[in-house]
Amino acid sequence: MILRVGTTGDYMPFSWYKKNTQEYIGFDIDIAKHFAALNGFKIQFIRTTWAALSYDLITKKFDIAMGGISVTAQRKTLFSFSNPIITDKKVVVIRCVDKEKLKFYNDINHNSVKLIENIGGTNEQCAKTYFKQSSLTLFSDNRKIFDEILNKNADAMITDKIEADYQVRIN
């Protein structure tokens, strides 16, 4: 029997698709592989996006979804969730050189600040809810979104603290 796992492959440290080896890695990927092995399943990872995740699960493109997926009120009405492995909070990511300029909420929630978010996830929802004055750009490639900040194409983004901590370590 095959366990089909939907994942975005763009959200370290949970799920990352390595193009050069064509394999998925990450914490949730390890859990999925372990679960499949314990239960006698072969495993198949199926790529999805944050915007398509709920639709793909509803239409049975895969059996389960994994990869650092936040529990939201809407998702709770549609799906069952396991007990969370971790709980996290949203944080604002900025370049270190801007830490004095973008120190407070009102500094970021300003029309001169270029906010960038991946399409369809809880980060986008958070940005639209709490940073309505910022200039928001929706970016299609979550794997390269931090480069947009580093390259000064955007000033800030909202993400989960665990992803921000990971990005600080590698950048």
Side-chain angles (χ1 to χ4, degrees):
M1 193 168 195
I2 296 174
L3 177 65
R4 298 171 306 144
V5 178
T7 191
T8 61
D10 66 357
Y11 186 50
M12 278 301 273
F14 299 106
S15 168
W16 192 259
Y17 182 71
K18 292 176 67 174
K19 291 179 183 179
N20 60 333
T21 60
Q22 297 185 344
E23 68 178 329
Y24 287 92
I25 61 168
F27 186 71
D28 284 10
I29 301 305
D30 292 343
I31 291 171
K33 288 177 180 177
H34 185 69
F35 176 82
L38 282 175
N39 290 284
F41 295 120
K42 291 182 179 182
I43 195 162
Q44 178 185 10
F45 292 103
I46 297 171
R47 189 84 174 257
T48 189
T49 64
W50 293 108
L53 186 128
S54 293
Y55 178 79
D56 287 349
L57 190 54
I58 287 169
T59 59
K60 301 182 180 182
K61 186 174 178 181
F62 38 79
D63 305 307
I64 62 172
M66 295 179 74
I69 299 167
S70 299
V71 178
T72 66
Q74 180 188 24
R75 289 176 181 162
K76 280 173 68 171
T77 64
L78 299 171
F79 312 113
S80 297
F81 282 85
S82 67
N83 291 328
I85 295 167
I86 65 161
T87 56
D88 207 359
K89 55 187 161 192
K90 299 290 184 193
V91 297
V92 178
V93 176
I94 60 170
R95 290 178 299 280
C96 292
V97 296
D98 292 333
K99 67 183 177 184
E100 293 303 317
K101 182 174 93 172
L102 300 175
K103 196 171 191 173
F104 300 105
Y105 170 80
N106 286 337
D107 298 335
I108 298 162
N109 190 35
H110 190 273
N111 62 6
S112 67
V113 175
K114 296 181 286 185
L115 199 59
I116 190 166
E117 296 300 338
N118 61 302
I119 298 170
T122 55
N123 297 342
E124 176 189 348
Q125 293 170 356
C126 183
K128 287 180 174 178
T129 300
Y130 297 104
F131 296 94
K132 293 178 181 178
Q133 301 305 311
S134 300
S135 172
L136 177 61
T137 298
L138 298 179
F139 194 71
S140 63
D141 190 348
N142 200 41
R143 296 171 58 91
K144 296 181 180 174
I145 199 165
F146 288 94
D147 293 338
E148 293 296 299
I149 296 170
L150 291 171
N151 295 330
K152 299 182 180 180
N153 297 324
D155 299 311
M157 75 172 288
I158 289 86
T159 191
D160 299 303
K161 185 175 183 316
I162 194 165
E163 183 183 33
D165 290 345
Y166 176 81
Q167 290 295 329
V168 166
R169 278 196 311 273
I170 66 169
N171 290 302

